[in-house]
Amino acid sequence: MLRNALGKTFRFVGYTVQYGCIAHCAFEYLGGIVVCSGPSMEPTIQNSDIVFSENLSRHFYCIRKGDIVIVKSPNDPKSNICKRVIGLEGDKVCTSNPSDFLKSHSYVPKGHVWLEGDNLRNSTDSRCYGPVPYGLIRGRICFKIWPLNDFGFLRASPNGHRFLDD
């Protein structure tokens, strides 16, 4: 009787560990569902929108300009932020605010990306904390899940003029 109970307990623990490992790998390497908060990505992503983030792109270095990514915050490593990639390593980016009369430019250093929110007037991004190390990228947002009337792939940046080709 005790042997039977121990056997069932160890089987249960074994399955729990196996499924826990599978779930960890799925969320770490494949992707997951993310609830976005804050106004920095409006109008593309509203506060409390639910999106799907895939993680394979960051592992295979397939992040491109224009992608929206989930990143460990450079200011607070316990939180994640959602921003659009404006520049990759070696790209020339505009580092000034849209309201600045004189525009300043810089180059993104090797191993870094330049991130900005779509709501430029209400976003803390690379214009404040500088280029972000590529290793802080957690995933790339593929599409919006909620609200249902917005379900689908995300629209292009309303700030396309900020992408420089030099």
Side-chain angles (χ1 to χ4, degrees):
M1 172 109 165
L2 179 62
R3 185 175 185 189
N4 190 20
L6 281 175
K8 286 183 179 181
T9 303
F10 282 127
R11 254 193 313 279
F12 175 74
V13 170
Y15 287 133
T16 302
V17 170
Q18 285 176 344
Y19 290 124
C21 290
I22 291 169
H24 167 74
C25 289
F27 289 124
E28 181 66 25
Y29 296 103
L30 297 180
I33 295 172
V34 177
V35 178
C36 296
S37 62
S40 71
M41 285 303 294
E42 291 176 354
T44 309
I45 297 175
Q46 303 290 328
N47 192 32
S48 300
D49 280 359
I50 300 173
V51 296
F52 178 77
S53 170
E54 62 85 14
N55 300 346
L56 291 174
S57 292
R58 75 177 170 113
H59 291 292
F60 294 114
Y61 294 92
C62 296
I63 301 294
R64 297 185 311 257
K65 280 198 277 188
D67 286 346
I68 299 175
V69 293
I70 302 294
V71 180
K72 283 281 182 202
S73 172
N75 294 338
D76 178 15
K78 294 179 182 171
S79 66
N80 291 322
I81 56 174
C82 176
K83 303 292 179 195
R84 189 178 298 271
V85 176
I86 300 299
L88 301 168
E89 63 181 50
D91 287 345
K92 183 179 179 182
V93 292
C94 180
T95 58
S96 53
N97 289 312
S99 59
D100 293 347
F101 181 71
L102 294 173
K103 302 297 180 197
S104 58
H105 296 86
S106 181
Y107 287 92
V108 180
K110 184 176 174 109
H112 290 71
V113 293
W114 189 268
L115 304 175
E116 291 181 3
D118 285 355
N119 185 355
L120 292 174
R121 296 193 190 328
N122 197 2
S123 177
T124 302
D125 49 37
S126 287
R127 293 171 295 151
C128 299
Y129 44 71
V132 176
Y134 193 93
L136 293 182
I137 297 176
R138 305 303 304 146
R140 181 179 65 91
I141 294 180
C142 296
F143 55 89
K144 194 182 293 189
I145 297 171
W146 188 264
L148 286 177
N149 62 330
D150 262 351
F151 181 88
F153 294 102
L154 299 171
R155 63 181 81 120
S157 172
N159 306 312
H161 64 281
R162 305 263 310 162
F163 296 89
L164 300 176
D165 292 327
D166 290 346

